[in-house]
Amino acid sequence: MTGTPLGSVEDLVARALAVHARTQEARRGSSAGLASPGGPAPTSVRTLIGVAGEPGGGKSTVAAAVVEGLTRVGVRAVVVPMDGFHLAGATLARLGRLDRKGAIDTFDADGYLALLERLRSRSGTVWAPEYVRGVEESIGGAVEVDPSVEVVVSEGNYLLAEITPWPALRATFDEVWFVDTPAERRRRWLVARHVRFGMTPGAAEAWAAGPDEANARLVRATRARADVVVDAGRLWPDA
């Protein structure tokens, strides 16, 4: 982990631009001489930025803010969430994992890794899945990433986990950030989200204190492996 925690949207966008510039320059240098005179240029490669953090901590809001900021300065960017790789409810029921949906073994991690590897290249359009809250299922082919997209921001709980295959997945990113959110605020946001998508207040509190908190403990332990921390307390001081 390096540098001062990022505490404003301007910080987030500046960091993303710096990562993009650095990685593209490195690739230009490594590809020098690969194309023969008069032959085709090496295939353009995207910048991939990961945003990790505990359940309900604001990862999707951070990712959206980065994409909006990059787009504003003329860099094409798209959010591709890890949540699109939730296993289906029927599959989780068959595996006996439905009562802890959201745990690390309730995602298709290998499928997510394969998608990220495809997203590296800008040679063609990639269609990514998206998780739909309320429906509580993933919808395939919902997110379009066409060849004009220069930066993909992907957010999810377990991007820094050490359980196979997550280390290989982490290696596909140019940087992974960790959203560090005050515990009371994160819990409040999480309960409110559960209620907004159909849980009773009591059920929301129980899920946040049970499965969500078990997942949060695993995710908190990965914080030190991030390239940089996003300080959600400074980012949203009045939330």
Side-chain angles (χ1 to χ4, degrees), residues 87-177:
L87 296 179
T91 299
L92 293 176
R94 178 174 58 79
L95 296 172
R97 302 175 192 172
L98 188 58
D99 61 348
R100 52 189 183 83
K101 184 174 183 176
I104 195 167
D105 63 345
T106 65
F107 291 87
D108 175 14
D110 288 308
Y112 181 38
L113 173 58
L115 178 77
L116 290 173
E117 290 171 341
R118 288 181 63 206
L119 286 170
R120 268 292 180 204
S121 171
R122 293 171 63 183
S123 60
T125 297
V126 176
W127 295 91
E130 181 177 48
Y131 186 74
V132 180
R133 296 193 183 278
V135 177
E136 305 305 316
E137 294 286 1
S138 297
I139 306 298
V143 180
E144 181 182 9
V145 186
D146 69 45
S148 71
V149 173
E150 302 170 70
V151 178
V152 166
V153 181
S154 190
E155 52 88 7
N157 295 339
Y158 304 113
L159 307 190
L160 297 166
E162 292 190 304
I163 302 167
T164 302
W166 295 93
L169 192 146
R170 192 259 182 267
T172 65
F173 289 103
D174 295 298
E175 273 200 359
V176 177
W177 307 347

Side-chain angles (χ1 to χ4, degrees), residues 25 68 102 105 232:
E25 181 60 33
E68 182 181 344
D105 63 345

